[in-house]
């Protein structure tokens, strides 16, 4: 017994014990997650990145001798960061078109889980993905040059960022040689269709709707009208769920409607459907990536959007 006590009293015993205790504390601290304070990003920060994207696209246009500047009229609406995020998604789609036109494999654009609120950090992250993609494209295609730095800006709103990215989106149309193909609009409309399917499944509503007849020789204007009809149904459900609605009247056009105009409005529908899904507890029902269906026309797009409208009308309460 005395021998054991003498071992305990030996200084080396205590030094060894303190070492083990210190090591245990270090391991505990290492395994404890450190909660870093989130970095604040403002719409002005996102706008500066949108300007940088615009400069990079100008470099691509210069390299491929595209002098045409898209005549895009800025819209005025109380848009939210979720709409900016969705517009950045469209730019990713158009960069994919550019990739395939130049012999590069296509990449699936990033999708986002449904959220009630999207803060500016998420659109900012989208701008970084776009800038990285352009950098990759330039490297693979041997496009020289680098966009100059952008000076900080202040006082920008989500609509300012949207309009800047919208200009970039239409500039990509000129770079690609034509307005976006209706097949791509149809693919995005199919994503809305899938969201409606998820809503009906969540609410336990049998899908008894039928597609409307396919209109003969429909034009992009007809598809745009159908996209607004879909938005009317989405906003009806938003009001039933106690959610805010946004006035998209600025997106309505009666003349010179091109597929990109329809693409924009279909995209706004997708943005609004995400908020509705989040409200209904569908955070894991992420909209699937678009699957391209070749050979589609404005008639196909108009019919598909009308079918989504008929299916949403089955939902009478939430």
């Amino acid at each position: 017994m005395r021998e054991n006590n003498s071992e305990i009293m030996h200084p080396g015993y205590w030094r060894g014990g303190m070492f083990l205790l210190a090591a245990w504390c270090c391991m505990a601290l290492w395994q404890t997650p450190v909660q870093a304070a989130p970095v604040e990003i403002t719409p002005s920060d996102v706008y500066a990145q949108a300007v940088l994207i615009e400069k990079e696209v100008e470099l691509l246009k210069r390299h491929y001798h595209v002098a045409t500047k898209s005549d895009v009229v800025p819209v005025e609406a109380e848009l939210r960061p979720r709409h900016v995020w969705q517009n950045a998604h469209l730019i990713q789609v158009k960069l994919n078109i550019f990739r395939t036109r130049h012999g590069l494999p296509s990449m699936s654009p990033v999708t986002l889980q449904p959220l009630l609120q999207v803060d500016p950090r998420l659109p900012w992250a989208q701008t970084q993905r776009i800038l990285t993609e352009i950098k990759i494209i330039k490297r693979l295609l041997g496009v020289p040059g680098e966009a100059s730095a952008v000076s900080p800006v202040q006082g920008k709103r989500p609509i300012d960022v949207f309009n800047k990215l919208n200009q970039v989106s239409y500039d990509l149309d000129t770079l690609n040689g034509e307005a976006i193909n209706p097949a791509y609009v149809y693919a995005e409309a199919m994503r809305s269709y899938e969201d409606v399917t998820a809503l009906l499944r969540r609410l336990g509503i049998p899908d008894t709707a039928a597609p409307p007849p396919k209109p003969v020789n429909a034009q992009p204007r007809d598809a745009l009208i159908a996209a607004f009809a879909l938005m009317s149904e989405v906003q009806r459900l938003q009001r039933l769920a106690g959610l805010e609605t946004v006035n998209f009247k600025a997106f309505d056009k009666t003349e010179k409607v091109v597929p990109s105009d329809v693409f924009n409005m279909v995209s706004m529908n997708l943005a609004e459907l995400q908020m509705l899904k989040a409200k209904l507890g569908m955070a894991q029902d992420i909209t699937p990536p678009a699957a391209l269906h070749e050979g589609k026309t404005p008639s196909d797009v108009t019919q598909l959007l009308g079918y989504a409208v008929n299916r949403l009308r089955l939902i009478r309460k939430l």
Side-chain angles (χ1 to χ4, degrees):
M1 198 65 182
R2 275 193 296 270
E3 288 180 357
N4 290 340
N5 286 337
S6 64
E7 289 178 2
I8 294 174
M9 294 300 292
H10 194 279
Y13 180 92
W14 292 103
R15 283 197 298 270
M18 292 299 291
F19 174 80
L20 291 173
L21 179 61
W24 181 85
C25 290
C26 288
M27 286 293 292
L29 288 172
W30 181 73
Q31 292 176 354
T32 302
V34 178
Q35 298 294 330
V39 175
E40 181 182 2
I41 290 178
T42 67
S44 294
D45 297 322
V46 187
Y47 183 88
Q49 298 304 299
V51 172
L52 189 57
I53 293 170
E54 182 182 43
K55 289 186 174 186
E56 290 286 5
V57 171
E58 283 299 320
L59 286 176
L60 288 172
K61 289 174 65 178
R62 192 178 311 147
H63 180 78
Y64 289 100
H65 309 291
V66 177
T68 307
K69 183 71 175 180
S70 299
D71 184 19
V72 182
V73 178
V75 299
E76 184 56 51
E78 291 298 322
L79 298 189
R80 307 291 190 264
R82 65 180 179 270
H83 306 117
V84 178
W85 191 96
Q86 201 67 45
N87 205 24
H89 179 90
L90 296 191
I91 290 176
Q92 289 181 307
V93 173
K94 293 185 179 185
L95 283 173
N96 252 341
I97 296 172
F98 180 81
R99 286 180 68 100
T100 56
R101 284 181 178 275
H102 291 271
L104 299 176
S106 180
M107 305 286 289
S108 180
V110 171
T111 55
L112 182 68
Q113 74 174 92
L115 296 170
L116 273 175
Q117 295 292 335
V118 173
D119 70 60
R121 289 178 299 172
L122 294 175
W124 180 88
Q126 282 285 72
T127 63
Q128 301 313 293
R129 294 183 183 99
I130 292 169
L131 287 167
T132 300
E133 176 63 12
I134 293 175
K135 181 179 180 180
I136 292 169
I137 287 172
K138 287 167 61 182
R139 174 65 173 170
L140 294 178
L141 298 179
V143 178
E146 186 172 342
S148 58
V150 176
S151 301
V153 294
Q154 300 296 328
K156 297 299 182 181
R157 304 165 296 157
I159 186 60
D160 299 314
V161 185
F162 180 93
N163 281 325
K164 179 57 68 177
L165 290 176
N166 204 38
Q167 177 68 59
V168 171
S169 179
Y170 282 82
D171 282 344
L172 285 170
D173 285 345
T174 64
L175 181 63
N176 288 330
E178 62 178 350
I180 193 166
N181 190 299
Y184 288 92
V185 184
Y186 186 91
E188 287 299 307
M190 272 300 301
R191 300 182 73 218
S192 296
Y193 181 90
E194 295 294 343
D195 275 347
V196 174
T197 300
L199 285 169
L200 293 175
R201 183 172 59 243
R202 173 72 174 184
L203 296 170
I205 297 175
D207 187 359
T208 57
K214 183 189 292 188
V216 179
N217 298 324
Q219 300 300 310
R221 170 63 184 160
D222 300 301
L224 185 61
I225 292 172
F228 269 97
L230 179 58
M231 181 61 76
S232 179
E233 284 302 308
V234 171
Q235 292 189 333
R236 175 181 66 84
L237 296 179
Q238 286 179 329
R239 287 189 287 270
L240 285 177
L243 295 171
E244 66 165 0
T245 60
V246 174
N247 187 344
F248 291 101
K249 183 63 177 176
F251 290 81
D252 197 7
K253 294 175 67 176
T254 57
E255 297 180 354
K256 298 181 180 179
V257 179
V258 296
S260 275
D261 299 322
V262 185
F263 203 36
N264 268 349
M265 199 58 207
V266 169
S267 182
M268 295 302 98
N269 272 294
L270 279 165
E272 297 305 279
L273 281 165
Q274 302 321 300
M275 191 169 66
L276 184 60
K277 285 160 60 181
K279 180 68 175 182
L280 295 177
M282 301 168 61
Q284 301 310 312
D285 279 284
I286 299 174
T287 309
L292 190 61
H293 301 263
E294 296 287 358
K296 295 301 181 181
T297 67
S299 294
D300 297 303
V301 176
T302 302
Q303 182 187 39
L304 179 60
L305 291 171
Y307 192 11
V309 168
N310 290 348
R311 299 174 81 214
L312 281 184
R313 285 175 178 161
L314 297 173
I315 305 174
R316 306 312 306 171
K317 63 180 180 179
L318 297 177

